[in-house]
Amino acid sequence: MSIWWSLHLRREAASVPLARRLLLGTMETAGVDPDISYDLSVALSEACANAVEHGGDTGSGSASADYRVTAYLDGEKCRIEVADSGPGFPARCGRRAPAPARSALAEHGRGLGLIEQLADHVHFRNRPGRGAVVSFDKMLKWREGALLKVS
């Protein structure tokens, strides 16, 4: 069995905990190990916060009002994508947007690095004229008797 869902959310701070709760509820129901669920939910929160803060079209004066979150739980892996319609990652980032070096006490700028620490694979990509996508995946561990556990 596999589970996937996709949300179109408004670029508002209140959307971040909504996406996080849906992911946590899905993983709890499926039987994913709580530590893995927590790591993925924090990574999702950071990706959503980035889309809320940076995901609008700042060039035209009419900011896009939404972003998309898609999650796939299939077999031994969970893959999450957060797509916005903003200006994308800076050109200097190339195919992978390395997280900028920031002080541990800095209030902003640590989210992408945190995602890289919490997930097994992370990919940052620009969609010219259509925004940016942060996608990440993590191998799953299961509780005993989990619904989706692969034997």
Side-chain angles (χ1 to χ4, degrees):
M1 179 193 305
S2 63
I3 298 173
W4 74 271
W5 49 260
S6 186
L7 299 171
H8 287 240
L9 298 167
R10 294 188 64 78
R11 285 186 45 241
E12 298 172 355
S15 68
V16 177
L18 173 65
R20 183 178 177 145
R21 283 188 213 121
L22 181 58
L23 180 67
L24 284 169
T26 300
M27 290 198 278
E28 168 68 23
T29 300
V32 175
D33 177 83
D35 291 336
I36 299 295
S37 297
Y38 178 78
D39 286 353
L40 283 168
S41 72
V42 171
L44 174 62
S45 295
E46 293 297 332
C48 289
N50 191 65
V52 167
E53 185 170 347
H54 304 290
D57 180 9
T58 57
S60 69
S62 62
S64 176
D66 63 356
Y67 66 102
R68 188 186 78 242
V69 176
T70 306
Y72 309 88
L73 278 77
D74 192 17
E76 294 292 320
K77 183 169 68 172
C78 177
R79 179 171 186 83
I80 297 172
E81 293 182 1
V82 178
D84 65 46
S85 57
F89 295 105
R92 67 176 163 25
C93 292
R95 292 175 57 197
R96 274 184 51 86
R102 300 279 185 178
S103 163
L105 300 176
E107 189 172 326
H108 298 288
R110 297 185 320 256
L112 298 178
L114 186 56
I115 294 168
E116 288 181 316
Q117 294 297 312
L118 294 170
D120 294 330
H121 299 99
V122 181
H123 185 70
F124 305 98
R125 115 181 113 96
N126 285 326
R127 301 176 304 161
R130 298 184 304 143
V133 178
V134 176
S135 58
F136 53 95
D137 58 54
K138 189 166 183 81
M139 296 304 291
L140 299 175
K141 294 179 187 170
W142 301 93
R143 294 188 325 257
E144 192 62 37
L147 292 177
L148 295 182
K149 185 176 181 179
V150 176
S151 304

